[in-house]
Amino acid sequence: MKKRMTLLAKKEGLSTSDFRNYWAGPHAALALGMDGISKYTHNRVDKVLWTLNGPPSFCIDGIVELYFRDEDAMRDAQASTIGRRHIPADEPNFLKGWTLCIVDTEGDETGTSDRRVKVIVPFLLGASSKETFALAITQYAGKTGQRLALNWTASTARRERLWSEPSPPDGLAVLWFESVAAAHDAFDEGAICSLLATHVANATAYLVDELSLR
């Protein structure tokens, strides 16, 4: 299965509620018209839980997760009239920024009932290698009982008419928690903060409200 994670920044002057309504309404209806989509999820940013090195490293109001059965299905969807023409034409109605990350995923993304609260952490690697960071955060998840998925950016793209992240993330870690309070506790200068500070150059933890559309 192939997966795309797209970082979205809402249009300036647009309220959060109007941004979410348009995204889940007219825009989602367009996206769902593409063939080959296996799963389609909106992650609406509720708040920044933690950030490394000052202000948030990324400008994100939402993150789209689009899954396709294989690479051919993803390529065909993008090349379709909807993917090539209608979706890009519609995006400026509610977006300022758009940064696409095609990712390779490691870890458990199934069965969210035991961990209902989702946190997404886009990051830029520091001196540590991909393998070293993956081992460290996987060991953390094992010790704390957190469910973890690591999404490594394989390639990126931008829209000509929209702003994009000047430094797209090297990866996005996704963690699930039993409650909002547990998510806050984990990022209240806990072990995960020290781990990230050791291994990455920049990172921001976003508490998200997940909306599954397919």
Side-chain angles (χ1 to χ4, degrees), residues 35-167:
D35 292 331
I37 296 175
S38 301
K39 186 178 177 183
Y40 178 33
T41 301
H42 287 185
N43 298 289
R44 293 91 60 89
V45 170
D46 278 344
K47 71 181 303 183
V48 172
L49 289 179
W50 175 88
T51 187
L52 180 64
N53 296 331
S57 310
F58 306 96
C59 180
I60 299 174
D61 294 293
I63 299 173
V64 184
E65 292 179 285
L66 262 179
Y67 297 75
F68 299 87
R69 62 179 179 270
D70 54 34
E71 190 167 346
D72 287 341
M74 183 172 66
R75 188 184 305 110
D76 290 346
Q78 182 59 45
S80 69
T81 302
I82 296 173
R84 176 173 42 85
R85 184 192 305 169
H86 299 315
I87 287 180
D90 187 60
E91 287 165 344
N93 289 321
F94 73 112
L95 294 181
K96 174 189 77 174
W98 184 97
T99 305
L100 170 67
C101 300
I102 297 176
V103 299
D104 298 318
T105 302
E106 304 171 359
D108 182 13
E109 292 193 301
T110 63
T112 59
S113 60
D114 61 330
R115 292 288 187 271
R116 295 182 296 274
V117 176
K118 187 175 184 180
V119 176
I120 301 181
V121 188
F123 59 85
L124 292 166
L125 285 172
S128 293
S129 67
K130 172 181 171 179
E131 293 75 18
T132 300
F133 174 64
L135 177 61
I137 197 168
T138 300
Q139 289 177 337
Y140 161 82
K143 290 177 182 177
T144 59
Q146 298 307 135
R147 196 158 56 81
L148 166 72
L150 271 176
N151 301 277
W152 293 103
T153 302
S155 62
T156 64
R158 60 181 62 195
R159 292 284 198 230
E160 184 177 343
R161 297 174 61 190
L162 298 172
W163 175 87
S164 62
E165 294 288 344
S167 298

